[in-house]
Amino acid sequence: MHSRQMTISDLVRDGVVTVRARPDIRRICLELSTACNLNCAMCIRSHWLPPVDRGHMSEEVFSAVAGSIDRLPSLQEVHLGGFGEPLLHPRALDFIDRLRCKGVEVSLSTNGTQIDEPTARALVKLGVLRVVVSVDSAKPEEFSQIRGQTGKLPRVLQGLFRIRDAKRAQRAGRPRLGIQTVLSRANASAKGALVQAARRVGASSLLVSHMLPYTCDMKDQILYTGPRHTGCQFSSASLFGGSGWPDEGGDWLGWGIVDLPRDRWRTDRSCPFVGGKWAAISAEGEVSPCYALMYTHSEYIFGRHKRVERLSFGNVLQDPLDSIWTSEEFVKFRTRVELFDFPACVDCELCDSCDFAAFNQNCWGDEVSCGDCLWAQGIIRCP
């Protein structure tokens, strides 16, 4: 759900637009690794420009981030995610332990293949807040086709069962388990079975996102529609039924939910990253405002190709995270995004032939434009 969008009147004090630079990061997305043991068809990792070396976050980068935590009084959570598999990092559990010792909540996004019994027990013992596992089909053959490897679905589900069983053995209510799935024409028919899979493994939520195409071949696989679409409208609710399930985690009985995306472009836009005061930190230590701007890549917005350049406001090896966050350029950018003062390129009849839109710029002179970001629409989503 989108919060109320900031307006310019919110910033006016005595006739002057005033923005205070505060170290008010609430959530850090920490990319422990750019490596992954899978080769998913829809993943951005195969389409970075130029290709990024696959590697793990160094001790120096992690220590620089951890050392800034005491200067971030609003910090609520560190989410281990990004575009690689965090549990491939040989020190992932040690890093979680060090963050927990600082009193920080830690959550984790994973493909689930690395959750053996010791890892499951450790995640429970360390008090991880939430573990979200990516499962794009409940059909083994379809899952293998999407993931680029055969035989992985049983292993992924087994990892979820291991966490569920470890919670029961330790009489723990956390981590909360979640499943994330990406919706496209290639796997839409199998989505109903994911609700049953979520219930079996003890998940408390099923987060649904649409697919962001990174290649020309992928652009025809989307199910969401743009403002000029005149045919029948797709409804993700029709695949999942909107129903939930009892979640018997720990000593409490909850209710598991299906969290659905928007299925069509709308006029209201709001950035969940900037609005939620996220800082996205790559494995190299580069600090970006969101996932979408972490790496240079190509993508397709309703069939229109555009190139998106990486946007970094600094590196934690060179400047403290709180200093980067409160720098003039970063504060200006976040304020602009909170106001969402960008033209809506998708609504423009000239966008298909616009050179500005092709390079993620706009006709108002912005070098970086968020005007047609699908995350801001709630069409593309992440934990």
Side-chain angles (χ1 to χ4, degrees):
M1 180 178 295
H2 293 265
S3 59
R4 185 184 75 86
Q5 185 170 319
M6 180 190 290
T7 65
I8 193 69
S9 61
D10 294 322
L11 304 176
V12 176
R13 299 290 184 274
D14 298 324
V16 178
V17 175
T18 304
V19 180
R20 294 187 64 182
R22 299 171 174 169
D24 56 355
I25 298 174
R26 293 180 192 158
R27 196 181 195 205
I28 295 173
C29 172
L30 201 58
E31 184 181 58
L32 293 190
S33 181
T34 55
C36 187
N37 57 320
L38 300 181
N39 187 29
C40 301
M42 80 289 282
C43 182
I44 190 177
R45 293 174 61 260
S46 301
H47 310 290
W48 282 329
L49 300 170
V52 175
D53 291 337
R54 308 302 194 244
H56 301 317
M57 178 173 284
S58 67
E59 166 65 29
E60 290 75 19
V61 170
F62 178 82
S63 293
V65 176
S68 297
I69 287 176
D70 293 337
R71 299 189 298 276
L72 301 173
S74 300
L75 185 64
Q76 299 173 356
E77 180 183 344
V78 175
H79 181 76
L80 305 183
F83 296 107
E85 170 49 51
L87 291 179
L88 285 179
H89 197 296
R91 299 187 62 189
L93 296 177
D94 173 54
F95 286 172
I96 292 173
D97 187 26
R98 289 163 63 181
L99 291 170
R100 294 292 292 136
C101 286
K102 284 184 167 288
V104 178
E105 296 284 14
V106 178
S107 59
L108 172 71
S109 290
T110 173
N111 63 32
T113 61
Q114 305 302 302
I115 305 176
D116 53 20
E117 289 188 5
T119 299
R121 290 194 296 268
L123 292 173
V124 175
K125 183 177 180 181
L126 290 170
V128 170
L129 176 65
R130 184 175 61 256
V131 174
V132 181
V133 177
S134 179
V135 183
D136 289 318
S137 177
K139 295 181 178 179
E141 291 184 3
E142 194 169 79
F143 184 92
S144 297
Q145 183 177 10
I146 293 170
R147 295 301 187 189
Q149 291 190 23
T150 60
K152 295 295 186 181
L153 180 59
R155 182 174 173 180
V156 170
L157 295 178
Q158 185 61 43
L160 283 161
F161 280 123
R162 285 169 176 153
I163 295 178
R164 183 202 65 181
D165 294 344
K167 287 170 60 179
R168 291 175 176 175
Q170 299 182 40
R171 296 187 61 81
R174 54 165 56 186
R176 305 296 287 180
L177 294 178
I179 290 177
Q180 180 186 19
T181 191
V182 176
L183 193 58
S184 71
R185 295 185 185 279
N187 63 357
S189 63
K191 291 305 182 184
L194 276 179
V195 176
Q196 296 305 316
R199 177 174 183 170
R200 289 199 313 271
V201 302
S204 60
S205 64
L206 173 56
L207 177 68
V208 184
S209 172
H210 283 289
M211 181 186 71
L212 178 58
Y214 297 112
T215 67
C216 187
D217 293 340
M218 295 165 62
K219 66 183 177 65
D220 296 325
Q221 293 295 313
I222 66 171
L223 290 166
Y224 50 94
T225 53
R228 286 171 276 178
H229 180 80
T230 57
C232 295
Q233 299 291 336
F234 169 78
S235 171
S236 55
S238 65
L239 299 182
F240 298 93
S243 61
W245 60 92
D247 171 24
E248 303 175 8
D251 295 328
W252 297 90
L253 175 62
W255 191 255
I257 61 169
V258 180
D259 191 359
L260 296 173
R262 281 185 178 178
D263 296 320
R264 65 172 302 179
W265 179 272
R266 298 186 184 275
T267 56
D268 58 311
R269 301 166 295 168
S270 177
C271 177
F273 300 98
V274 170
K277 299 190 183 300
W278 283 48
I281 305 176
S282 75
E284 302 165 322
E286 299 292 332
V287 181
S288 298
C290 62
Y291 283 146
L293 298 174
M294 283 182 74
Y295 293 99
T296 300
H297 64 278
S298 289
E299 63 186 40
Y300 288 79
I301 304 297
F302 299 108
R304 169 174 53 85
H305 174 264
K306 75 171 186 177
R307 178 185 172 103
V308 178
E309 298 290 335
R310 167 185 253 180
L311 181 62
S312 172
F313 287 93
N315 190 294
V316 296
L317 292 178
Q318 298 166 356
D319 295 292
L321 178 56
D322 51 306
S323 296
I324 295 171
W325 181 261
T326 56
S327 66
E328 181 178 353
E329 289 303 311
F330 205 173
V331 171
K332 284 182 177 178
F333 178 82
R334 295 198 310 274
T335 303
R336 184 75 184 276
V337 174
E338 285 202 75
L339 294 169
F340 225 93
D341 189 23
F342 303 102
C345 298
V346 171
D347 294 323
C348 177
E349 295 180 354
L350 303 177
C351 71
D352 290 339
S353 58
C354 177
D355 290 338
F356 293 117
F359 290 93
N360 201 38
Q361 301 169 354
N362 63 45
C363 56
W364 292 2
D366 293 304
E367 291 295 322
V368 179
S369 177
C370 302
D372 55 8
C373 176
L374 298 182
W375 270 280
Q377 283 281 328
I379 292 172
I380 308 300
R381 310 165 78 219
C382 54

